[in-house]
């Protein structure tokens, strides 16, 4: 369920999709599930982004990742803290699965992200339900896929601190460059929430509802470009 109107392109949705203020599609719309969508998405609206728009962002991210060094996950026994930097393995590569707190910053996921087990992942470090100035992440995958499975509880949001506008990251939650056409898959479940832009211009983005019925939700406070 969305609180704002979205402009989306190249999105596959598995399940009931509701939008309080409508959905705008750059391309065309097809309902394969049999259940009516309300309101019906509007086709052929919005504009395609010029591919050159991404070049400055790509160059900045490459430089910033090189400057960050290695990322680190600390903790044990299913209680972990992750910190910004470069990750050379599929993220998160720790065991056993448990709770993972993502500290604010840029995560350079050089082999993508794949949740194959049940996790609780959050950017709400103080658990106050607010988007504080010292919280929020950008998950950057220069290669490989981004997959959140439906068995996990995910509450993550982009950086929204005022000063981050100068960095070009403010409001950007997940980014795959044009050179990475791997799939982005986000599966609902346990009332998971994703807040911020998901930008993957060369990728298929797939959204799936949870398996527990309409009470098992995926909440997207976002815009999707795929």
């Amino acid at each position: 369920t969305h609180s704002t109107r979205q402009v989306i392109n190249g999105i596959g949705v598995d399940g009931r999709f509701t939008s309080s203020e409508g959905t705008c599609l750059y391309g065309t719309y097809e309902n394969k599930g049999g259940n009516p969508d309300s309101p019906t998405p509007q086709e052929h609206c919005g504009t395609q982004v010029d591919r050159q728009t991404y070049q400055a962002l790509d160059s900045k991210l490459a430089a910033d990742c090189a400057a960050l060094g290695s990322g680190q996950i600390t903790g044990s026994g299913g209680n972990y803290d992750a910190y910004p930097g470069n990750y050379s393995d599929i993220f998160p590569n720790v065991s056993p699965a448990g709770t993972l707190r993502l500290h604010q910053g840029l995560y350079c996921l050089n082999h993508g992200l794949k949740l194959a087990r049940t996790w609780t992942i959050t950017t709400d470090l103080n658990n106050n339900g607010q988007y504080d100035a010292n919280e929020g992440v950008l998950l950057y995958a220069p290669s490989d896929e981004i997959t959140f499975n439906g068995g996990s509880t995910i509450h993550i949001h982009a950086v929204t601190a005022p000063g981050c506008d100068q960095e070009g990251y403010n409001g950007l939650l997940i980014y795959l460059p044009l050179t990475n056409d791997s799939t982005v898959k986000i599966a609902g479940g346990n009332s998971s929430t994703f807040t911020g832009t998901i930008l993957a211009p060369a990728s298929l983005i797939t959204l799936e509802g949870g398996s527990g019925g309409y009470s098992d939700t995926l909440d997207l406070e976002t815009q999707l470009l795929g």
Side-chain angles (χ1 to χ4, degrees):
T1 300
H2 303 263
S3 58
T4 58
R5 178 178 173 88
Q6 318 100 50
V7 180
I8 59 179
N9 178 33
I11 311 297
V13 180
D14 182 10
R16 187 172 71 171
F17 182 78
T18 62
S19 178
S20 61
E21 297 183 23
T23 301
C24 169
L25 297 176
Y26 173 76
T28 59
Y29 165 76
E30 180 181 2
N31 184 331
K32 294 184 176 181
N35 295 318
D37 291 304
S38 179
T40 300
Q42 179 184 351
E43 298 181 338
H44 303 299
C45 62
T47 57
Q48 185 80 323
V49 176
D50 188 331
R51 293 187 173 213
Q52 293 182 353
T53 301
Y54 303 111
Q55 291 179 347
L57 179 58
D58 292 345
S59 297
K60 179 168 180 52
L61 283 168
D64 288 352
C65 286
L68 278 175
S70 298
Q72 184 179 15
I73 298 179
T74 62
S76 61
N79 191 14
Y80 309 100
D81 286 88
Y83 297 89
N86 290 274
Y87 287 85
S88 57
D89 294 315
I90 295 174
F91 186 86
N93 188 27
V94 290
S95 183
T99 298
L100 178 63
R101 300 175 354 129
L102 303 181
H103 289 251
Q104 186 181 65
L106 170 62
Y107 289 73
C108 307
L109 308 180
N110 295 294
H111 286 280
L113 178 151
K114 187 173 183 180
L115 298 186
R117 293 163 288 169
T118 301
W119 282 89
T120 297
I121 299 180
T122 184
T123 53
D124 186 6
L125 301 179
N126 59 10
N127 200 32
N128 69 349
Q130 303 294 321
Y131 303 146
D132 297 319
N134 65 336
E135 298 173 338
V137 298
L138 167 55
L139 305 179
Y140 169 53
S143 61
D144 227 318
E145 67 185 272
I146 296 287
T147 298
F148 289 94
N149 68 34
S152 295
T153 301
I154 312 295
H155 296 289
I156 61 174
H157 71 281
V159 177
T160 56
C164 291
D165 282 335
Q166 299 176 358
E167 301 296 327
Y169 303 156
N170 206 7
L172 186 57
L173 178 63
I174 296 173
Y175 178 55
L176 278 65
L178 274 170
T179 52
N180 182 9
D181 62 358
S182 302
T183 298
V184 176
K185 179 179 179 181
I186 298 177
N190 302 317
S191 301
S192 292
T193 303
F194 293 76
T195 303
T197 296
I198 298 173
L199 177 57
S203 301
L204 171 68
I205 299 177
T206 300
L207 309 177
E208 297 183 0
S211 60
Y214 292 143
S215 63
D216 193 8
T217 62
L218 168 62
D219 182 17
L220 297 175
E221 300 173 1
T222 183
Q223 60 177 343
L224 305 167
L225 295 94

